[in-house]
Amino acid sequence: MRRIVERFGAILLSGLDWLGGLTSLGWRTAAVGPRRPWGVDDIAAQMVEQGVRSLPIASFMSLFIGMILAVQFGWALADFGATMALGDASSLALVRELVPTIIALTVGAKMAAGMAAELGSMKVTEQIDAVAALGADPIKKLVWPRLVAATLAVPLLVAWGNVMALVGGMLIGDWVYAVPAGYFYETYVDELAPIDYVQSLVKGLTFGYLVGLIGCFQGFSTKFGTEAVGISTMETVVATSICVIIADFYLTMVFL
């Protein structure tokens, strides 16, 4: 029993230490980031790296999310002869919940893992120390552009994902359940209120910030050694997924 308590205490203290370090990095980045120079070129480069290059997988995931949900709802509605309500049934679940969450868990985790691996490799090879030795602030030079780019890229990918999910639902509705694409679109859009779009984008913004912050923190926290980068990358994926799910729960409660 004592070992169990000690093990639980160690895990709890480790988690609190991790949260403290993450919060500290967030505050430090907020303090030095907005100062000039703003690093627009670095932010733009990271937007291309994280956002533009994530468009194919975000489009693929969103399209099939819309198709899968339309198949499931259409199958259930067919028992009641109500397949014409497929657009109404699909819209809220996709825009409010599935598209932002799935994109954050897949594309966001990929982005965070990439940042952790890149910064972890720089730390292992002492490139971060070299940046500091040259008089530059590593937080300003390395963390700020990645954090801003992730915070902006994820909501933009979510907005695009909502469009692709709509297209996927329209295809299934028209091909499988004989729901005209135009009618599906009208009922889909009519069911949504402005607050639903706001909720989707706020979730994307929050998830993007968490993705950038966790990826950078894990990269800076990488230990020295041959296996350190791999371990840090793996932990980044796990931490990102858990934090996204927790944040999604609280944001959903707030908007409801």
Side-chain angles (χ1 to χ4, degrees), residues 30-47:
V32 303
R35 300 175 185 171
R36 293 185 177 183
W38 293 320
V40 176
D41 292 339
D42 292 334
I43 293 173
Q46 288 298 320
M47 284 287 291

Side-chain angles (χ1 to χ4, degrees), residues 186-224:
E186 290 180 3
T187 56
Y188 188 101
V189 173
D190 288 344
E191 184 67 20
L192 294 169
I195 190 63
D196 298 319
Y197 297 107
V198 171
Q199 178 176 346
S200 183
L201 292 179
V202 168
K203 284 187 175 182
L205 198 70
T206 305
F207 297 160
Y209 179 79
L210 288 174
V211 163
L213 189 61
I214 293 172
C216 292
F217 176 72
Q218 289 293 125
F220 271 62
S221 302
T222 302
K223 296 179 174 61
F224 290 94

Side-chain angles (χ1 to χ4, degrees), residues 55-74:
L55 272 174
I57 185 173
S59 302
F60 179 84
M61 294 293 297
S62 301
L63 180 68
F64 275 88
I65 290 168
M67 295 173 70
I68 292 168
L69 195 70
V71 168
Q72 294 284 354
F73 281 171

Side-chain angles (χ1 to χ4, degrees), residues 46-132:
Q46 288 298 320
M47 284 287 291
V48 172
E49 181 69 26
Q50 299 179 31
V52 176
R53 294 185 179 178
S54 298
L55 272 174
I57 185 173
S59 302
F60 179 84
M61 294 293 297
S62 301
L63 180 68
F64 275 88
I65 290 168
M67 295 173 70
I68 292 168
L69 195 70
V71 168
Q72 294 284 354
F73 281 171
W75 180 79
L77 292 171
D79 292 339
F80 302 96
T83 53
M84 297 303 288
L86 184 58
D88 303 79
S90 304
S91 58
L92 293 178
L94 287 170
V95 174
R96 284 183 180 178
E97 192 64 41
L98 287 179
V99 171
T101 304
I102 294 297
I103 285 182
L105 289 175
T106 54
V107 180
K110 177 188 79 72
M111 292 162 57
M115 285 185 276
E118 183 180 10
L119 294 177
S121 298
M122 292 179 67
K123 181 178 180 182
V124 169
T125 56
E126 299 183 348
Q127 295 181 50
I128 294 178
D129 294 335
V131 171

